[in-house]
Structure formats: C-alpha cells, structure tokens
Amino acid sequence: MINLETPRKHAGLVDQAHQLAMNMLRPISRKYDRAEHTYPKELDMLAALIDGVSETGATGGAGAGGVRRETSSEEPGTVRNGANLASVLSVAEMCWGDTALLLSMPRQGLGNSAIASVANEEQLERYKGTWAAMAITEPGTGSDSANITTTAVKDGDEYVINGEKIYVTSGERADSVVVWATLDKELGRAAIKSFLVRKDNPGLTVERLEHKLGIRASDTAAITFTDCRVPAEDLLGSPEIDTKSGFAGAMATFDNTRPLVAAMAVGCARASLDLTRDLLEQAGVVIDHDRPPQSQSAAAATFLRLEADWEGAKLLMMQAAWMADNRLPNSLEASMAKAKAGRVGSDVTLSCVQLCGTLGYSEAELLEKWARDSKILDIFEGTQQIQQLIVARRILGLTSAELR
Ligand SMILES: Cc1cc2nc3c(=O)[nH]c(=O)nc-3n(C[C@H](O)[C@H](O)[C@H](O)COP(=O)(O)OP(=O)(O)OC[C@H]3O[C@@H](n4cnc5c(N)ncnc54)[C@H](O)[C@@H]3O)c2cc1C
C-alpha cells in the first residue's frame, strides 16, 4: 500500500539535498538570474558531489537522472520506495534552492531521463556520464508533438537527421542532445524515434540562445540539424515501427519526466511559502494551523489555503513516482501530478508576491524571481491544458483522435 510520508530511507538524501540547495544554490541564485547565459561554474563542483552520491548506490541521483524502471527479483506485491521517489524528493529540495540552477546541473538533463527511460542496457552503459538535453519542440510543433517534422533517414549503418529544434533546455551546455525525429511521416506517431546526437557532430549547429522571463540561469537554445549523421546504434530503444504500440516508446519518457517537473514546481513553491511565512510573521501576522482559516486574518487564511493546495501537489508527485518505482503504469498520475503542481507552483509563487506586497515585488527578496521561474513548469514537458486533456482521455477511455 502507498504511504505518502517521506520514507525513512530517503530522509538522509532529502536532508543532504536541502543543505546543498541552501548552502550552494541559494547564495548564487540572484547572481546567475542577472547574468543570463553565463554558465554557473560553481555547479561543476556540485555536480561532482552529486555524481559521488549516485555512485554509492545510495540514491537514484540528486538530479533528473535516476528514473529508470528497474527490473527486480522481489516478490510481486513488495512495496518499493526506489529511485523515482528519491529523484522527485531530491529535485524538489534542490529547486527549493533554485530551479534554473538545478536545470543547469551537468549530467542531470531532461535528456538523461529520456535515456534512462528508453535506452537499452548497452546504450545506458555507453552513455554513462553524458549530459543530455532533450529536443522535441520545433518552430511549427509544440503541444502536438506527434506532428514533428524533423526526419531521420536510414543510410547504411547511419541515420541522417534534418530539421530544426527550438527551446532546448541546456541545448548549448550539454554534450549531447536527445532528438525526436520521424523515420517515416506517412506512418504517423509510431515512426517517431529518439536519437542521441553528440554536440560535436558537424551536422549540428546551435543557432542562438533565448532571452526569457524566468529560469534565466538555464540556457535555452535553438538547434538545427543539417545532414547530421548518427550511428544507427544511437537510435534509443527499438528501431522497429510498431503501429500497434503507437507513440508508446518515445512517450514513456514523459511518464518519468513529468513527475520530475512536478517536483520542481513543488520545490519552488515551497521556497516561496517558507519565506512568505517568515515575512508575514515578522510583520505580526499569526498563522495558526489549529484554527479554521475563516477565523484568522485574511493573510493567514490565504497562506493556509496555499499550503493545502501545495500539499495536494506534493502528494500527487509522490504517488506518480511511487507508482513508477513499483512498476505500475503511471501515465495518468504523471499528468495529474504535472497539471496540479504546475498550476499550484504558479499560483503559490505569485500569491506569495501578492501577500508580501512591495517586498514580494522587490529584488530585495527572491519571491519575484520564484514567481518568474515557476511559470515554465506549467508549460514545458506538456502544458497545463495538455495535461488536463491527457487526464480526461485516460479517465474517459478516449483516444487522442477522439478527444483533442
Ligand atoms: C524556457 C523553456 C524551456 C523549454 N525546454 C524545452 C526542452 O528542453 N525541450 C523541448 O523539446 N521543448 C522545450 N520547451 C518547449 C515547450 O515544451 C513548449 O513550449 C510547450 O510544449 C508548448 O508548446 P508551444 O510553445 O508550441 O505552444 P502551443 O502548443 O502552440 O500551445 C499554445 C497554447 O495553446 C494551448 N493548447 C495547445 N493545444 C491545445 C489543446 N488541444 N487543447 C487546449 N489547449 C491547447 C497550450 O496549452 C498553450 O497554452 C521549452 C520551452 C520554454 C519556454
């Protein structure tokens, strides 16, 4: 049975991640928000520390890497609190420190989650230590990812990739990119495969970096692929086009990355709540968890409502990750977690700006930054509206053609 408390075995990891966030991310948070596109060199040491923690086997990685569905010899029915739960809990803590810096962490890219989800054992071994960005979005295709136009054509023992990808997180700094491309547009979504393309491939060009509202420490790149040749063994997963399983292969990535994005929103919102509580208390507002909100000041009642909403998001995040650890299909729960946490993240962080007035809006505190940073978490890896659509389809038993 699921128990939505932080498991005791992960308490040390959560505490460790919190300490790193407090002592290493928070102090450089404002600096790299202002110095957009400058690589936070302090992350090199932190990433090495995280690699060390992961190698002990004590965790599934403090970043976005440890999300593979492990096979296990345990008895069916045995409850596991594994790598996925460890990942979302530690990612939330790191984003309590700074979401953009977490997204900039070497070797912890969203592409690494894609590799963990769909690569075979041999590829996993070969790609060990790579830092992989993830490139799905194109100038004409965002939410409708089944319509991507980037092509991959087999030529001997290579694929030749042509197309343009935009808004690739860590697209400049990562050393490889997981690229979604179609093997045959006529065959629809089943023909979409992902490929690991190394950044030094001569057919790959980083065209520009985007200036953004939030997560400014994270680089966001536009990348073109021109007759970009990749070895056939860098197609992730199976090269077969199985029209029965449709989009299932590539989409499996999202079941793992959406709880992670939910975790980012949970962490960023928690940071806002913690600081807001301190600022309200300094201003003389008493927040009493033992009394009904309606009998307290408007500020205290609002704060309690925000905290309750945040709890809901955190529980859904944990449920989606726990299901992945226990090898239960979690597409529905991953989308629920992402939808709830994405909305709550934006709502909580902006409401905290409101509650703290001029201090909330000023750069004297990080509240305004967190409100800017959290918005993307309701957009990338599938927007709020798309998550709701997926949830509706799953609950009503309708296909994407029947409910669009
Ligand atoms: C900072 C940043 C980082 C990013 N990082 C990455 C990355 O690393 N890799 C990557 O591949 N992409 C990345 N993206 C792209 C992101 O995933 C897309 O922006 C997102 O999927 C939405 O696509 P779109 O922008 O084309 O909007 P559209 O799909 O055009 O949607 C526009 C609006 O319409 C709504 N909408 C669309 N379809 C429907 C529907 N059927 N029903 C109801 N509403 C609908 C959407 O919710 C949205 O509000 C990033 C984007 C940003 C801003």
Side-chain angles (χ1 to χ4, degrees), residues 50-51 54 59-70 83-84 86-88 90-91 102 105-117 124 130 132 256-257 260 264:
I50 289 170
D51 287 347
S54 303
T59 78
V67 289
R68 191 164 179 82
R69 306 273 169 119
E70 293 155 33
N84 294 278
S87 288
V88 292
S90 55
V91 162
L102 182 276
M105 201 68 73
R107 298 178 289 286
Q108 305 284 330
L110 288 170
N112 290 94
S113 300
I115 293 171
S117 306
L124 263 192
T130 195
N256 287 335
T257 53
L260 288 170
M264 294 174 201

Side-chain angles (χ1 to χ4, degrees), residues 134-137 142-143 167-169 212 215 376 379-381 383 385-386 389 404:
M134 172 116 141
I136 304 167
T137 309
S143 300
Y167 281 87
V168 182
T169 298
K212 313 187 294 290
I215 58 162
I376 188 56
I379 296 177
F380 67 10
E381 296 295 298
T383 64
Q385 293 74 19
I386 295 303
L389 199 54
R404 50 175 83 219

